[in-house]
Amino acid sequence: MVQIKRIYEDYEDADGYRILVDRLWPRGISKDKAHVDEWVKEIAPSSELRQWFNHEPERYTEFKTKYKQELKEKAELLTAIKKKAQHQRVTLLYGAKDEVHNQAQVLLELLKK
């Protein structure tokens, strides 16, 4: 099972294996408080795409398309997460304020296919 969660939400044992999927470490969160088991910054959108998107909801559809294109070159990272999720719950952590328009949503969609 794979789920997503803002890293600013409280840690719960039920989160299982926690993977941070942001390229940058979230502001104001200590590594101890984050309870991150793995930081896979390579799976995050490129800096150029992230900066272009700028978390503007009207750009989300185009962002999804461009990000999925980038992810085609990172299939092994997606496969590793899928394998991990076969044996335990995996929570993808992200820092964005917008809980609907972010890269973790795109990853979740791809991983559930």
Side-chain angles (χ1 to χ4, degrees), residues 3 5 18 26 37 40 42 44 47 49 51 56 60 62 65 72 78 81 89 106-107 110:
Q3 63 185 14
K5 185 175 188 177
R18 293 167 50 99
D37 294 301
V40 185
E42 300 84 10
S47 295
L49 181 57
Q51 290 168 357
E56 295 178 27
Y60 185 65
E62 189 174 351
T65 301
K72 286 182 180 179
L78 288 169
I81 293 172
R89 177 176 298 219
V106 178
L107 289 170
L110 288 173

Side-chain angles (χ1 to χ4, degrees), residues 2 17 19-23 38-46 67 70-86 90 92 107-108 110-111:
V2 181
Y17 193 81
I19 302 173
L20 178 61
V21 295
D22 284 352
R23 186 166 300 278
E38 188 176 357
W39 183 11
V40 185
K41 48 181 125 169
E42 300 84 10
I43 205 167
S46 65
Y67 184 36
E70 287 186 356
L71 288 169
K72 286 182 180 179
E73 298 175 14
K74 301 173 184 181
E76 71 282 351
L77 296 173
L78 288 169
T79 300
I81 293 172
K82 280 183 183 181
K83 284 183 181 178
K84 202 167 284 296
Q86 289 174 346
V90 172
L92 305 178
L107 289 170
L108 182 63
L110 288 173
L111 290 167

